[in-house]
Amino acid sequence: MVDATHRDADPAREHEHGGASNEDWNDADFVARWLERQAERAPERRRQFALVRAVIPRLPAEEFRYLNLGSGPGNLDELLLDQFAAATATLVDFSLPMLMAARARLARFGDRVEYVHANLASADWAGGVGGSFDVVVSTLAVHHVEDPRRIRALYGEVHRLLGHGGMFLNLDRVRPARPAFGPLAAWAAQDPEAGLSARGHGDDLPGTLAEHLGWLGEAGFGAVDVLWKDPGMALLCGLRDHLHVPEEAHAHDGGEHAHPHTH
Amino acid sequence: MAAREARGERTTLGMVDDQGRTSTHSGLFAGLHAHGGAAHWHDEFGQRAAEDLTDEELAAQSLDWKMHNVQIVTLGVDIGSSTSHLMFSKIYMQLLGEGRDVHSVVVGREILSQSPIIITPYRPDNTIDTTVLAQLVNDAYAAVGASPADIDSGAIILTGEALKRENARQIAELFAAETGKFVCASAGHHLEAVLAAHGSGTVSRSRRDRQTLLNVDVGGGTTKFALVRDGQILGTAAIAIGARLIVKDESRRLTRIDAPARVVADHLGIRMVLGELLAAEDEERIVQAWTEILAGLIEGRPVEGLAAELLLTDPLPSGVVPQAITFSGGVSEFFFMRESRDFGDLGRPLAAALRRALSTGLIRLPVIMDPNLGIRATAVGASLFTVQVGFNLYVSDETMLPLRNVPVLVPRVDLEDEVAPARIAAAIRESLVRLDLADGEQPLALAFEWPGDLVLSDVRALAEGIRDGLPETMARAVPLVLIVDTTISVALGRALKEDLGIAGPVLSLEGVSVAEFDFIDLAPLIHPTEVVPVTIKSLLFAGGLDRRSVKQALYDAAMASQRPGARES
């Protein structure tokens, strides 16, 4: 069984902790140390989470329900619950200490948040979350499932949990289509003005971008797209059926209804 | 029970006065109100204040709000073998519907104050030390600057040792001043499991999300299981595994070894002697054995060997696989890392072993983290008793009234096709088990939904089923109350008392809407209208008051009020 809900975007760090076992992720001290180290990377994380927030087509006061697969300590959720004041969240993670950290972080949101301990390596997780969701998000978690067959099944499980008009957003690491794209990323990063990440590693990742898009299609998503791409990482989007986007004027009419990142 | 929580109860009198003011004891408690007034709370649940309303419209809206909203202060008291605590809550109820079909729904709960959780105090003779308990109660009142007169309703839940006759009597005396406003429920293994499933929010969540869930309440002396599907409790079970079966002092010397702990120790070849040390590795082996047994029960593996020896009830129904589990009880406090202190018992190591069981796959099911109250996940009190009027009476002996604190049983039997006495008797016995009640020990109220017309032979068959289902009530001539929802009340009372000639007094009535786990008080008969005022007190649980549940409850209540006569049990 694999730890299927933990993520680490830094390959070096991942290598360093590649041997982290299921038990480690349920060890409070191990998780505390991990969280401490994560603080160093807060700005980078925040940008990634902002990407996810930006593409959720909901007005700030709109009620909707989302699911976060592999929530970790709830940093993304803090951003989302602040931005979308009427949203409710279900967080799934395999690490109990991580969920406890999330609960402490998100305490001010009260009953807007529910927490479920489950392992994405087995289809059982879906029984724990209950009901249908308007949006399912996941950041840097799905690749930890490792087995491509399991990821394909997982996409199907996500699809079944989405309601009419539902949207799946998966920000995750993807394998370069050719190994040579790895060195190309490092090469391209030498031009600072382009602002590209050097991280093109990950030959052992479970799927290429094209494969992930294919799996999403197989799982039943009527439309799939890539909303953002960096070497080694992509924000995948799968739509259950139609996509409704609020008029821009509403989302950006200033004052309390503006996106925070437009300020 | 579930039905009332989900769709609210019919209510009539005493909730809103003629000025449109809500009945509430807000005086002493007002300062504790964290949200800055009920209007704010109301706004949270969707009916937003519209900025563009005129002053008149705003005033009308405010009056309408007051007419349809009620606040009450309730006290929940849990006294168990291991721990005890009290909780003051403010309950917000909303009235829906009109006239006789008014329903109230609990839409919000605010904790005003909680006592610290104390280890239930014992005297040297092993009875509960009610002097210390009385102090806890007094301190709790003092902490909020309140007195018993400020409380609108309450519930005292006794479990484990507290159930023993002498303990129960003395505890009841502690709350003598509140008598009449309080429900006193004695909870054995089954009812404890049911209470925990309600209190942890598992029942309402299961109903809301159409899930099959297993609540595992790991307490001091026992672990209780409740299997819940779509908000219905399918089965309960209990096993003698609990944190305080073994207690040590600071130097690891054993100060308490309960019999079930000895069974496990003997099985593992571990020698435990009071006053002697418990080796860390022996403690670990006991905890591991407990964890494996609990994991086996959770995962639905066959119950055999040591597990069968420790099981206190029948096992859970087989063939129903839960989709997820929830944890409650004292050990869940450690499990969810809300507690880390060492109480000298095995709570902390047992929780750690259960967490390991999740990471190693010994327990594979998802765990829904309890967003509620963990150890406090039992009753928070009772809803404001709603007064209804029973009419169309049959009463064999008026002196049987008044009756107080009568538990309501709703036997699960469908009378639609065939009214078979044996099936009715069996359903009555099952409902007694669900509520841990003994036949003949106290007056009981039985509620039946009668599907159609008055067919005297069928009414007679129902009467026979009731007689056969409650042999001790019959033998000891204990008062019996029957609540039916159509015009058979007189015929049913007459069939039992006059045709079958049962010894005890019988009151049969209609016009009252109740659910299982309600407790009722019946006032003396009013002449010449020949009606009986019935006060209904529903246990109120901490769980299930999140936003989605409230919306669902309001929706269900609105739908239900459009179908008068329909009733869930």
Side-chain angles (χ1 to χ4, degrees), chain B residues 96-337:
Chain B
L96 300 166
E98 284 177 6
R100 255 183 62 77
D101 285 323
V102 168
H103 288 67
S104 74
V105 180
V106 174
V107 290
R109 168 181 55 83
E110 184 184 336
I111 296 170
L112 296 173
S113 166
Q114 300 187 77
S115 76
I117 295 162
I118 63 158
I119 304 287
T120 302
Y122 286 88
R123 296 194 195 94
D125 67 353
N126 264 339
T127 57
I128 289 176
D129 190 338
T130 42
T131 320
V132 178
L133 267 186
Q135 193 58 49
L136 172 75
V137 175
N138 292 339
D139 289 351
Y141 273 113
V144 296
S147 75
D150 298 307
I151 306 299
D152 296 300
S153 76
I156 309 165
I157 309 291
L158 306 180
T159 56
E161 289 293 313
L163 282 176
K164 290 187 176 162
R165 200 172 292 265
E166 184 55 19
N167 288 331
R169 191 186 58 76
Q170 291 196 14
I171 291 164
E173 280 171 12
L174 280 184
F175 295 95
E178 293 92 338
T179 305
K181 291 192 275 191
F182 274 49
V183 168
C184 188
S186 299
H189 300 313
H190 291 285
L191 183 52
E192 259 200 274
V194 169
L195 289 172
H198 277 281
S200 61
T202 307
V203 171
S204 61
R205 184 179 169 121
S206 158
R207 184 191 307 118
R208 187 192 75 185
D209 291 340
R210 300 267 172 266
Q211 282 177 304
T212 304
L213 302 175
L214 178 67
N215 187 57
V216 184
D217 186 87
V218 194
T222 56
T223 298
K224 281 78 61 182
F225 299 87
L227 188 59
V228 192
R229 183 164 61 198
D230 300 344
Q232 276 272 348
I233 307 249
L234 296 182
T236 53
I239 191 164
I241 291 177
R244 296 191 65 78
L245 293 176
I246 297 174
V247 182
K248 307 153 292 171
D249 62 16
E250 291 86 20
S251 55
R252 298 191 62 83
R253 287 182 198 285
L254 289 159
T255 57
R256 175 172 168 176
I257 310 164
D258 283 11
R262 288 205 185 277
V263 172
V264 178
D266 290 349
H267 186 87
L268 299 171
I270 295 168
R271 192 169 159 275
M272 287 198 295
V273 180
L274 278 176
E276 292 192 5
L277 292 172
L278 176 64
E281 57 268 30
D282 286 342
E283 177 182 302
E284 179 58 35
R285 286 171 63 210
I286 291 169
V287 163
Q288 192 53 34
W290 281 352
T291 304
E292 281 167 22
I293 292 169
L294 293 180
L297 289 167
I298 288 167
E299 295 280 328
R301 292 191 272 272
V303 183
E304 49 199 17
L306 187 57
E309 236 177 294
L310 295 175
L311 206 62
L312 299 164
T313 60
D314 286 338
L316 287 168
S318 56
V320 182
V321 182
Q323 292 169 289
I325 49 179
T326 49
F327 279 108
S328 60
V331 175
S332 74
E333 293 291 295
F334 293 100
F335 184 87
F336 293 129
M337 299 173 193

Side-chain angles (χ1 to χ4, degrees), chain B residues 314-456:
Chain B
D314 286 338
L316 287 168
S318 56
V320 182
V321 182
Q323 292 169 289
I325 49 179
T326 49
F327 279 108
S328 60
V331 175
S332 74
E333 293 291 295
F334 293 100
F335 184 87
F336 293 129
M337 299 173 193
R338 284 188 288 246
E339 180 62 81
S340 58
R341 285 174 293 168
D342 188 348
F343 294 98
D345 55 30
L346 301 195
R348 200 162 62 166
L350 179 56
L354 285 168
R355 280 202 303 268
R356 267 201 311 281
L358 295 182
S359 53
T360 59
L362 190 61
I363 297 173
R364 290 168 306 173
L365 288 169
V367 177
I368 297 166
M369 283 177 44
D370 154 29
N372 296 309
L373 301 165
I375 193 169
R376 294 181 167 96
T378 50
V380 296
S383 73
L384 180 65
F385 29 86
T386 61
V387 181
Q388 300 176 23
V389 176
F391 55 88
N392 215 358
L393 305 174
Y394 173 87
V395 59
S396 67
D397 176 3
E398 267 192 57
T399 61
M400 72 185 282
L401 298 173
L403 284 172
R404 274 207 165 143
N405 213 33
V406 181
V408 175
L409 303 183
V410 185
R412 291 182 191 159
V413 60
D414 185 1
L415 302 174
E416 191 83 52
D417 299 328
E418 182 201 8
V419 184
R423 231 160 29 93
I424 293 160
I428 291 171
R429 283 192 291 271
E430 284 164 20
S431 64
L432 282 167
V433 170
R434 275 200 299 277
L435 275 78
D436 291 311
L437 292 170
D439 170 25
E441 292 278 314
Q442 69 286 298
L444 294 171
L446 295 183
F448 289 97
E449 190 172 355
W450 187 259
D453 303 328
L454 176 68
V455 179
L456 283 175

Side-chain angles (χ1 to χ4, degrees), chain A:
Chain A
M1 197 184 298
V2 296
D3 162 11
T5 54
H6 275 292
R7 87 307 307 276
D8 192 326
D10 182 346
R13 198 172 297 282
E14 186 157 82
H15 178 71
E16 183 188 329
H17 290 294
S21 72
N22 288 344
E23 290 211 42
D24 290 333
W25 288 117
N26 279 290
D27 178 303
D29 294 334
F30 176 86
V31 170
R33 289 195 300 274
W34 187 89
L35 289 174
E36 231 168 76
R37 285 195 302 273
Q38 288 303 298
E40 301 160 13
R41 308 183 47 206
E44 181 192 349
R45 283 274 190 262
R46 178 153 179 117
R47 173 154 185 275
Q48 290 165 349
F49 295 150
L51 270 173
V52 175
R53 180 184 63 191
V55 298
I56 294 177
R58 299 284 168 157
L59 294 169
E62 203 172 335
E63 285 186 29
F64 70 99
R65 189 179 180 218
Y66 80 84
L67 171 71
N68 186 355
L69 289 183
S71 65
N75 299 54
L76 168 64
D77 304 284
E78 193 171 24
L79 248 62
L80 296 184
L81 293 166
D82 268 332
Q83 162 73 8
F84 303 106
T88 52
T90 300
L91 276 58
V92 175
D93 206 285
F94 181 68
S95 162
L96 205 52
M98 207 69 93
L99 285 172
M100 297 302 137
R103 188 162 66 174
R105 178 183 300 278
L106 306 175
R108 65 189 167 98
F109 299 108
D111 68 11
R112 290 175 62 197
V113 198
E114 294 183 334
Y115 307 85
V116 178
H117 177 279
N119 193 339
L120 300 183
S122 142
D124 289 343
W125 73 272
V129 299
S132 74
F133 295 89
D134 302 297
V135 178
V136 177
V137 298
S138 181
T139 52
L140 304 162
V142 171
H143 71 272
H144 279 289
V145 173
E146 292 180 354
D147 178 358
R149 284 169 303 183
R150 179 67 205 120
I151 293 178
R152 291 161 81 170
L154 176 68
Y155 284 168
E157 288 145 20
V158 169
H159 184 263
R160 283 191 287 281
L161 281 173
L162 281 168
H164 188 64
M167 178 188 223
F168 177 36
L169 294 168
N170 180 20
L171 176 74
D172 204 7
R173 303 183 60 215
V174 290
R175 193 175 74 233
R178 289 271 168 88
F181 282 114
L184 176 62
W187 172 262
Q190 294 178 92
D191 181 343
E193 201 179 344
L196 286 167
S197 162
R199 295 205 188 90
H201 307 252
D203 291 340
D204 55 348
L205 287 164
T208 64
L209 178 62
E211 283 169 338
H212 277 283
L213 291 171
W215 296 341
L216 286 168
E218 273 174 30
F221 287 97
V224 294
D225 210 339
V226 182
L227 303 185
W228 174 85
K229 177 82 175 71
D230 195 359
M233 201 180 296
L235 176 54
L236 304 167
C237 175
L239 300 177
R240 166 118 200 185
D241 28 55
H242 67 268
L243 173 65
H244 174 75
V245 182
E247 287 174 41
E248 198 181 343
H250 286 136
H252 300 275
D253 63 356
E256 58 180 331
H257 293 307
H259 256 290
H261 60 270
T262 61
H263 288 297

